[in-house]
Amino acid sequence: MTGATESYELDVDGRALPVAAAWLGESLLYVLRERLGLPGAKNACEQGECGSCSIFLDDVLVNACCVLAADATDARIRTVEGFGDADHLSDVQAAFLGTGAVQCGFCTPGLILAVHDLLDQVPDPTGLEVREAISGNLCRCTGYGRILQAVEEVKATRSGASGPRGESP
Amino acid sequence: MSTGTEVRPGTRSGLGQSVRRPDGTPKVTGTFAFSSDLFARGMLWGRTLRSPHPAARIRSIDTSIAERMPGVASVLTARDVPGRPTYGLEHADQPVFASETVRFQGEPIAVVAAEHPELALRAVAAIEVDYEVVTPLTDAEAAIGAAPIHPDGNVFRHLHLRHGDLDAVGAVSVEGSYEVGMQDQAFLGPESGLAIPVDDGGVELFISTQWLHVDRDQVAACLGLPPERVHLTLSGIGGAFGAREDVSLQVHVCLLALRTGRPVKMLYSREESFHGHVHRHPARLWYRHHADPDGRLVKVEARIVLDGGAYASSSTAVIGNAVCFAAGPYRVPNADVDGWAVRTNNPPCGAMRGFGAVQVCFGHEAQMDRLAAALAMDPVELRLRNALAPGDELPTGQVITGTAPVREVIEAAMALEPPPLAATDPPADGTMDLPGGAGLTATRADVVRGTGLAVGFKNLMYSEGFDDASTANVRVELDHRGEPLATVHCAAAEVGQGFVTLAQQIVRSVLGVEQVALRPADTTIGSAGSTSASRQTWMSGGAVELACLAVAEALAERAGYGGGAPDEVLDLDVVELLREGPIDRTRAHHHPPTEPLDEDGQGDAHVSFAFAAHRAVVDVDPELGLVKVRHIATGQDVGRALNPQAVIGQIEGGIAQGLGLAVMEEMLLEDGRLRNPSFTDYLIPTALDMPPVTATLIEQPEPGAPFGAKGVGEPPTISSTPAIVAAIRAATGLELPRIPVRPEHIALAEA
Ligand code: FES
Ligand code: FES
């Protein structure tokens, strides 16, 4: 049918998930979304241009649309689904909600991960550094103003050192 | 970093508060189901074959190889359409599949359903079409008189507005020609949907759309089914901005599901999305403004030609708007505006945020600056002197009976000091804040700064006699804990704007019930009209309010108030009254009727108007032609801000799209062929391109509007573009008659 298929296992959000008889040409984005039931990473371009499919591969933020799933068998994969659920939002997720940084929400999962990535590496980025860090994540609805405000709020809360990282303020 | 915009914190839950979205938590945790996330057991993947040619005759289509491929369940072409072979929002002139004639590049020829998306792609590639390529008709002006490329002719609508004394002339007159390129809505969530066949021979479609009922009617007609056998449910929508008002894959995916008897999912790639929906009309504009020596407008003459592309979509309404708003938010006693929307072999154009007002605003605002220069007058003062006010007459003869705070939006946009040109501003060499951004090419010493102002307006709701009513149902009952629970059912499409939040706020404010659930929007209730024309807050917000008031009346009756006492519902013991059982009311909301424009473009065609002004500050490196927008200040007429945070979000998002049209975004066409159908080549603003925005909301409650609120989505997109271009003109002294402004327009301009 499609060509060579294979079964393999992926380490996603700390779980070993089997992928059965999958065509080897499938992107990690496709496998997460269509085979593993994890649609949090989005598919706005599937060409590495929009960041909506952002995930962590061994702690490096990548576009899942540009990674072959069968190449990621040795990597630790983290998706937005692993960052918090309705009862345990991460501080970034909570700030996005509180500041109005979410409209249609299609860009949101990717941006949440991009902001986590930035603030974990650079706790006190300048405004320009924030803009640069999220400039690979397109948002068509918000004009970024509320998203930037969400980042400022997380920065402020974290520097106030209230509660452990990644927890809701 | 500061965005300079204060937003009230979202602590309470009623109208006027910055209430959080009910769909926010699933959206930040990745569990919100967009249409592209849908899945059904045993589902097939659909894919479309599209014409590579903008104009061709189809000699033959051979699907036999594709049909025999293992894993391919179905291949359908025009002969498989059981019902009406065409569809369209206003005129059904667009074929479900091209069968004899191709009229634009990307026109669908066939669809396939296969077990895997890759197989579907290969099957599409295996379909053989023999085309006889024809020279495309791509010039909109030429199309007016050219041989028709469609049985319905090449002119979608010609509207010639004539108002007042057409022989009037001013002591001063200025003339200009302008051009607007084709913009794409570029929503992030690609077109997608899931169709599931139903046992009664009907079909269920889960879809991202702006208007469920009009989709349903078009799909049913093409499927040859009665509308009640076609059931649509709204799924999560990744933005819309006009591009989901027309049918894209709806008919195709339903045909495949009915033919195969299996669920079928379709999902456009980004490239296909560029071909699969309508765009903003490119425009050619000519203007002559006349004024008396102290700058009062005497007459505006204009000619507007919109390129509607291959099929009608909403072109007739877009040119109606362009003509009505051609002179801008100014008192214009005499006007002669000749507008055309025409058919070409370019991609079809239709609705996009701003809907006809965007194109003409670029023209009339450039003209106002030209006029100010000719009069040696301050451009802000010129605008204030001519600003529309309540009681004034528009060039259509319609008198503004509602609010029109044009002076106020201008003053608000100009109130703040522009960012200073200090030692660090423009920033130092080697930072991305200079024009050119991450390219790091501009040199600080070369950077010049400019400031520009623009003002715009447009109609809210549908116009010209259309009754775009909305329906809502509100049910109140006691939940399992004995607490009051309200449930709202309305078919209004939530595209990101926050109608779901507003519906909850309305129920809480009118009924005092805190717990508000929302049923999925679907076609089991009456139409809510389209999520477009900045109309859902007014129309569906109004319907929810009416349904709440009817519930309140029923509660009051239960409490023994004879004639109903809805104002006092907040004092009633709702829990006690609901022990008798639930109360359920459905109400429709109609706006006051409007009338069609007559043959001179005269008539009370519009319900209400919303105004905004933008002041832009830009830095330009003239040698490299690079532009950096530094700041936008805006004043916007919102009637009343029902959710200030959401209003700010609409304003910032709309400005980003206006910035895109000013300096970045264009679908580049060459002989009808699209050269940049990807986010690699069609650039939309990133966080580095967007400047801080300072927004001032002008709150003058609009009489007759539910809660006094005006729609807020479109005005930010209208005047932000000309404000930015005016700022670039101020910095460079160039005329810049075309948008988007490209580096070569600046760097290679004749001095
Ligand atoms: S979907 Fe991967 S970058 Fe756009
Ligand atoms: S919220 Fe819609 S794309 Fe960002």
Side-chain angles (χ1 to χ4, degrees):
Chain A
M1 303 228 306
T2 36
T5 64
E6 209 165 287
S7 298
Y8 50 90
E9 209 171 74
L10 293 176
D11 171 2
V12 186
D13 297 326
R15 291 183 297 159
L17 300 177
V19 178
W23 175 50
L24 289 178
E26 288 170 7
S27 71
L28 180 54
L29 180 64
Y30 179 86
V31 170
L32 288 171
R33 291 174 51 78
E34 303 294 341
R35 293 192 182 271
L36 299 178
L38 294 168
K42 297 297 168 214
N43 50 354
C45 77
E46 300 191 71
Q47 284 183 324
E49 290 290 347
C50 76
S52 74
C53 61
S54 300
I55 54 140
F56 285 99
L57 203 62
D58 286 334
D59 300 324
V60 177
L61 194 68
V62 299
N63 292 327
C65 67
C66 295
V67 176
L68 280 180
D71 261 356
T73 48
D74 295 329
R76 262 176 310 112
I77 297 162
R78 256 190 111 185
T79 70
V80 70
E81 282 95 339
F83 264 77
D85 57 37
D87 298 325
H88 306 89
L89 295 179
S90 77
D91 54 357
V92 177
Q93 289 169 321
F96 267 60
L97 281 186
T99 56
V102 179
Q103 289 187 30
C104 84
F106 208 81
C107 65
T108 306
L111 271 156
I112 299 250
L113 296 199
V115 172
H116 270 292
D117 188 42
L118 167 68
L119 295 181
D120 286 349
Q121 295 181 43
V122 188
D124 191 23
T126 65
L128 195 56
E129 282 172 327
V130 176
R131 287 179 184 270
E132 186 196 358
I134 64 168
S135 65
N137 291 78
L138 298 177
C139 172
R140 189 55 158 170
C141 299
T142 66
Y144 308 101
R146 301 305 97 203
I147 293 168
L148 295 167
Q149 200 201 334
V151 178
E152 290 303 305
E153 291 198 0
V154 177
K155 257 172 66 179
T157 319
R158 285 194 186 183
S159 65
S162 59
R165 288 270 176 95
E167 292 290 332
S168 186
Chain B
M1 175 222 59
S2 155
T3 65
T5 308
E6 279 299 308
V7 172
R8 285 172 250 172
T11 49
R12 289 180 38 218
S13 56
L15 290 169
Q17 301 297 320
S18 291
V19 178
R20 293 182 183 192
R21 307 180 62 95
D23 57 6
T25 298
K27 283 179 175 176
V28 297
T29 52
T31 56
F32 181 80
F34 290 93
S35 53
S36 46
D37 300 336
L38 300 176
F39 174 87
R41 199 164 289 283
M43 85 186 179
L44 295 162
W45 288 83
R47 182 115 195 163
T48 319
L49 171 68
R50 295 174 181 275
S51 167
H53 309 292
R57 270 182 283 280
I58 298 176
R59 291 200 197 95
S60 65
I61 304 172
D62 183 357
T63 58
S64 56
I65 297 174
E67 278 164 30
R68 285 196 305 271
M69 289 170 70
V72 172
S74 184
V75 183
L76 304 178
T77 62
R79 58 171 194 270
D80 301 299
V81 179
R84 193 177 67 193
T86 58
Y87 65 93
L89 270 180
E90 292 168 1
H91 306 282
D93 70 343
Q94 182 158 3
V96 175
F97 299 106
S99 56
E100 289 162 11
T101 310
V102 169
R103 294 192 184 86
F104 73 99
Q105 181 206 20
E107 183 157 8
I109 309 284
V111 285
V112 305
E115 301 287 346
H116 189 282
E118 176 67 17
L119 288 177
L121 192 64
R122 292 181 196 172
V124 159
I127 299 172
E128 283 176 21
V129 185
D130 185 9
Y131 297 100
E132 180 190 333
V133 175
V134 175
T135 306
L137 175 63
T138 57
D139 184 274
E141 280 279 359
I144 296 174
I149 56 170
H150 187 284
D152 297 349
N154 291 352
V155 176
F156 295 126
R157 187 178 184 185
H158 174 215
L159 179 61
H160 193 167
L161 178 149
R162 283 165 282 223
H163 185 76
D165 175 8
L166 299 185
D167 297 325
V169 287
V172 180
S173 74
V174 291
E175 198 175 321
S177 294
Y178 307 94
E179 205 177 316
V180 179
M182 187 185 286
Q183 188 180 20
D184 188 65
Q185 298 85 349
F187 49 55
L188 277 210
E191 287 89 346
S192 40
L194 176 69
I196 301 176
V198 179
D199 290 344
D200 68 357
V203 64
E204 186 148 11
L205 176 61
F206 297 85
I207 186 75
S208 40
T209 177
Q210 288 173 239
W211 192 352
L212 285 166
H213 287 73
V214 155
D215 275 12
R216 192 262 321 263
D217 294 348
Q218 294 179 78
V219 170
C222 296
L223 297 179
L225 288 173
E228 57 279 8
R229 300 255 290 280
V230 179
H231 181 229
L232 270 66
T233 303
L234 196 71
S235 57
I237 301 180
F241 318 117
R244 297 190 209 269
E245 200 160 67
D246 290 78
V247 159
S248 56
L249 53 72
Q250 285 87 329
V251 181
H252 298 158
V253 73
C254 289
L255 281 171
L256 287 171
L258 288 172
R259 178 60 70 96
T260 60
R262 288 170 64 178
V264 179
K265 174 170 172 172
M266 281 186 97
L267 164 66
Y268 285 179
S269 67
R270 179 54 51 182
E271 177 176 355
E272 188 167 19
S273 177
F274 273 100
H275 292 295
H277 60 244
V278 300
H279 315 281
R280 188 187 302 291
H281 290 73
R284 273 186 229 164
L285 310 160
W286 168 87
Y287 273 95
R288 183 155 52 208
H289 278 55
H290 301 256
D292 70 15
D294 24 308
R296 263 169 255 287
L297 288 170
V298 171
K299 186 173 72 173
V300 172
E301 298 170 83
R303 179 180 157 88
I304 303 160
V305 179
L306 299 183
D307 183 347
Y311 296 106
S313 179
S314 48
S315 278
T316 58
V318 176
I319 187 65
N321 264 15
V323 167
C324 286
F325 307 121
Y330 307 112
R331 259 186 316 274
V332 178
N334 308 297
D336 185 342
V337 182
D338 196 18
W340 300 79
V342 301
R343 190 192 307 271
T344 65
N345 290 121
N346 289 319
C349 291
M352 182 174 173
R353 199 172 192 173
F355 204 81
V358 164
Q359 292 91 334
V360 292
C361 190
F362 178 63
H364 65 65
E365 288 306 275
Q367 285 289 104
M368 292 302 275
D369 284 343
R370 234 174 231 206
L371 189 57
L375 289 158
M377 195 186 230
D378 173 37
V380 181
E381 178 52 32
L382 176 69
R383 287 174 169 88
L384 288 172
R385 194 160 291 186
N386 290 286
L388 276 176
D392 283 341
E393 194 184 45
L394 297 171
T396 54
Q398 179 166 0
V399 172
I400 298 185
T401 54
T403 60
V406 181
R407 165 172 290 274
E408 290 86 339
V409 297
I410 295 173
E411 286 171 348
M414 296 306 297
L416 207 80
E417 279 297 304
L421 193 65
T424 55
D425 182 26
D429 285 345
T431 74
M432 282 183 293
D433 238 5
L434 284 173
L440 300 178
T441 40
T443 314
R444 195 188 151 216
D446 297 332
V447 168
V448 286
R449 175 159 290 189
T451 300
L453 170 75
V455 197
F457 80 133
K458 86 173 282 289
N459 53 333
L460 305 174
M461 279 72 75
Y462 282 25
S463 295
E464 297 193 55
F466 195 88
D467 178 16
D468 48 317
S470 176
T471 314
N473 171 275
V474 173
R475 177 187 171 90
V476 287
E477 62 202 315
L478 297 178
D479 71 4
H480 61 283
R481 295 164 310 178
E483 299 287 334
L485 166 70
T487 305
V488 179
H489 190 199
C490 179
E494 169 60 50
V495 300
Q497 84 278 33
F499 178 74
V500 287
T501 323
L502 179 71
Q504 293 186 320
Q505 290 177 269
I506 292 171
V507 175
R508 290 182 188 129
S509 283
V510 179
L511 289 176
V513 174
E514 269 302 308
Q515 268 198 105
V516 187
L518 297 155
R519 279 181 58 185
D522 62 17
T523 49
T524 61
I525 186 167
S527 174
S530 177
T531 296
S532 60
S534 299
R535 59 176 289 289
Q536 287 297 20
T537 293
W538 185 312
M539 295 309 299
S540 293
V544 172
E545 183 196 20
L546 288 180
C548 285
L549 290 173
V551 167
E553 203 164 330
L555 282 168
E557 256 165 51
R558 273 193 193 174
Y561 295 85
D567 286 351
E568 291 164 45
V569 68
L570 296 175
D571 300 328
L572 297 174
D573 185 349
V574 173
V575 173
E576 190 52 42
L577 294 170
L578 288 176
R579 283 197 220 286
E580 283 178 41
I583 294 175
D584 192 296
R585 293 289 181 276
T586 299
R587 289 291 180 274
H589 180 223
H590 300 262
H591 58 65
T594 60
E595 57 189 32
L597 294 167
D598 69 16
E599 59 194 24
D600 290 327
Q602 301 295 293
D604 291 346
H606 306 294
V607 180
S608 174
F609 309 92
F611 305 85
H614 294 84
R615 186 200 63 197
V617 179
V618 305
D619 286 342
V620 184
D621 182 329
E623 216 162 295
L624 298 174
L626 300 173
V627 175
K628 167 81 187 173
V629 182
R630 302 287 309 176
H631 185 256
I632 302 274
T634 179
Q636 187 167 328
D637 160 35
V638 302
R640 192 177 151 215
L642 302 183
N643 184 327
Q645 193 181 66
V647 170
I648 296 293
Q650 286 296 308
I651 289 176
E652 290 172 333
I655 289 171
Q657 294 180 4
L659 183 153
L661 179 59
V663 292
M664 305 172 75
E665 294 181 33
E666 183 174 6
M667 296 187 41
L668 298 170
L669 293 162
E670 212 172 77
D671 298 327
R673 259 175 242 270
L674 180 57
R675 284 167 44 208
N676 56 340
S678 73
F679 282 157
T680 315
D681 298 313
Y682 184 95
L683 300 182
I684 66 174
T686 70
L688 279 171
D689 299 307
M690 254 312 270
V693 170
T694 308
T696 305
L697 311 184
I698 306 298
E699 299 201 53
Q700 293 183 3
E702 171 78 337
F707 316 107
K710 289 186 176 181
V712 300
E714 292 174 286
T717 319
I718 298 172
S719 42
S720 50
T721 306
I724 290 166
V725 179
I728 305 172
R729 289 190 191 111
T732 60
L734 297 170
E735 293 202 356
L736 304 176
R738 185 184 198 284
I739 42 175
V741 176
R742 291 181 201 299
E744 60 266 32
H745 298 154
I746 299 170
L748 304 181
E750 308 273 313

